Amino acid sequence: MPNRCARARIAGLLCVAAAAAAVAGLAAAAPMPPAVAVAAPAPAAASAAPAAAAPRTRNVVLVTFDGVRIQELFGGMDEVVAANGKRSGIYDIDRARSLYDRPTMEERRAALLPFFWGVLAPQGVVLGDKAHGSHVTLRNPHAFSYPGYMEILTGQYQPDVTTNDLKRYPHTTFLEFARRGLDLAPGDVAVFSSWEAHRFMSAREAGAVFVNAGYERVPAPFATEKIAWINDYQMHQMALWEVGRPDTPTFHLALEYLKAHRPRLLYIAFGETDDWAHARRYDRLLDALHIYDDYLRILWETLESMEEYRGRTTLVITTDHGRGIRPKDWVEHDAGITGSEDIWVAVIGPDTPDCGEVAPAATVHQADVAATILSLLGLDPRSFNPAAGPPIAAAFEP
């Protein structure tokens, strides 16, 4: 590991001790306040504020893979799950093994996610390999999608978000805060999601940012000829479940919007990994992840081909929740299933050291993603939400 990566890791670990000492000192000096039914502010243990130097990042692209476990991200094909034919749901084990099974963990993950591990990871940091001392986890206790996405978008656990019901909540997201803070038009902050719930969760006010979610057409003022074609194409694609569209039109609508409208902040939310897991088709889950890897390749190569984005864009990739770790429960996730709380995050861009996987490292929370993105955009996350998690220390050059 390069020296600057070691320094970043050590700095993050030192934050834990410093924050613990500060909390202990405050506790000794002040009486305990009465209990109140609100979310507690996130402690600073996981992260340190980035340096005051102006960031080189001008644009941020956030990508989420729904319900992708740390086991697949860091280890590729899970032999424990794959070996149980009935509980894995693998239709053709020989095909699955030929595509994704390799002798070592590093080889398996490279076979599953070749572009992520071969090109992206070396240009940034990847956190969450719990087995090697890097833990990324949730603050919300639910470990399912709507609470997880709201934690990402608002920078904290929201106690009133307890279901996956499609509704808008009165919580400002970092997307709408960034739009105001950077004085952008609504179309300069864009969300493309396979799950229609993002139409409601992306902003507390409808229309504050551009959102295309579920089976939804991009409106004519934003539709190029190719976008118009994808608008029609998506209506002929049947999703596995009824609550969203397949990821292919989501990705290609986002890609064409990026080319045509040059948003400063783009969020792409994929969902089929969670769909295939709930369907108990481990082979199709792996296939979906392999396709996501190629989406990342196309996205990154597109960004690098555009002057506005080349060398000025940070890519943040994460997930909303983990899931079970055993053959009998890998398909599920909630507060009672061990492993559902374990997630991961990758940050790749000009302000982030070229470290690859960083472990051991200080604990990071899902709530820290919002402040990290706002800091990369040169905005003060404390003005966004004083209760939000802090920026991820390892994501910034020491």
Side-chain angles (χ1 to χ4, degrees):
M1 179 179 290
N3 288 337
R4 62 178 176 171
C5 297
R7 289 197 300 271
R9 176 171 56 81
I10 292 169
L13 291 171
L14 288 175
C15 287
V16 177
V23 170
L26 288 172
M32 182 67 69
V36 291
V38 297
S47 310
R56 288 168 284 179
T57 296
R58 180 184 181 274
N59 319 285
V60 172
V61 179
L62 169 65
V63 177
T64 52
F65 297 168
D66 199 300
V68 171
R69 307 187 309 164
I70 61 174
Q71 284 77 10
E72 281 70 44
L73 190 88
F74 292 100
M77 182 178 183
D78 185 341
E79 281 295 318
V80 175
V81 171
N84 191 312
K86 182 178 180 180
R87 286 178 161 164
S88 72
I90 294 176
Y91 179 75
D92 184 342
I93 188 61
D94 292 334
R95 172 188 176 274
R97 290 195 184 282
S98 68
L99 289 172
Y100 308 119
D101 195 14
R102 301 292 186 273
T104 69
M105 177 188 75
E106 290 78 13
E107 290 174 293
R108 287 194 299 274
R109 73 187 190 186
L112 181 63
L113 301 165
F115 188 79
F116 178 84
W117 284 111
V119 176
L120 291 179
Q123 298 184 63
V125 298
V126 186
L127 301 165
D129 189 349
K130 192 175 179 181
H132 290 92
S134 176
H135 192 202
V136 183
T137 189
L138 314 174
R139 287 206 177 274
N140 79 80
H142 304 295
F144 58 84
S145 289
Y146 217 122
Y149 287 123
M150 287 298 288
E151 184 173 331
I152 291 171
L153 292 167
T154 68
Q156 69 174 116
Y157 158 49
Q158 300 292 352
D160 58 340
V161 184
T162 59
T163 74
N164 275 341
D165 294 348
L166 306 186
K167 60 180 291 187
R168 199 177 300 277
Y169 289 90
H171 308 302
T172 300
T173 69
F174 78 82
L175 299 168
E176 51 194 324
F177 178 84
R179 183 216 152 181
R180 292 195 302 266
L182 298 172
D183 194 24
L184 303 174
D188 293 329
V189 178
V191 179
F192 287 83
S193 174
S194 296
W195 188 27
E196 60 184 326
H198 278 90
R199 188 178 307 136
F200 305 96
M201 71 174 71
S202 296
R204 65 179 296 172
E205 297 178 7
V209 300
F210 180 91
V211 181
N212 177 273
Y215 284 100
E216 183 177 19
R217 297 176 184 273
V218 173
F222 293 98
T224 63
E225 182 177 353
K226 192 164 186 180
I227 288 175
W229 184 90
I230 302 169
N231 275 345
D232 293 336
Y233 165 82
Q234 69 175 317
M235 302 304 175
H236 296 161
Q237 303 301 304
M238 190 173 72
L240 185 61
W241 307 118
E242 299 86 347
V243 296
R245 69 182 167 203
D247 290 325
T248 296
T250 296
F251 172 68
H252 287 284
L253 284 172
L255 186 70
E256 294 307 314
Y257 187 95
L258 170 69
K259 295 175 184 176
H261 302 294
R262 303 327 201 243
R264 292 280 305 279
L265 180 53
L266 175 63
Y267 173 26
I268 310 174
F270 297 120
E272 287 184 299
T273 40
D274 191 66
D275 295 342
W276 286 115
H278 282 302
R280 197 179 288 277
R281 284 297 302 274
Y282 189 64
D283 49 348
R284 301 306 279 164
L285 163 64
L286 297 177
D287 291 341
L289 266 174
H290 195 58
I291 291 171
Y292 286 2
D293 186 72
D294 206 44
Y295 288 164
L296 292 177
R297 178 189 64 79
I298 296 168
L299 175 63
W300 188 253
E301 290 176 356
T302 300
L303 293 168
E304 289 292 283
S305 73
M306 302 166 69
E307 186 177 354
E308 301 97 314
Y309 294 95
R310 184 173 54 253
R312 308 172 71 190
T313 302
T314 291
L315 178 61
V316 179
I317 315 167
T318 189
T319 189
D320 54 332
H321 57 75
R323 43 194 346 112
I325 60 176
R326 299 171 297 179
K328 72 174 184 179
D329 63 12
W330 72 271
V331 304
E332 302 296 344
H333 54 89
D334 64 32
I337 297 177
T338 300
S340 300
E341 73 283 4
D342 296 329
I343 61 170
W344 49 271
V345 62
V347 183
I348 299 98
D351 296 292
T352 303
D354 301 339
C355 298
E357 183 180 348
V358 178
T363 298
V364 168
H365 293 89
Q366 188 172 64
D368 303 344
V369 172
T372 302
I373 291 174
L374 291 175
S375 296
L376 287 164
L377 290 170
L379 298 172
D380 183 357
R382 294 166 297 183
S383 299
F384 159 60
N385 178 3
I392 299 169
F396 297 86
E397 289 276 10

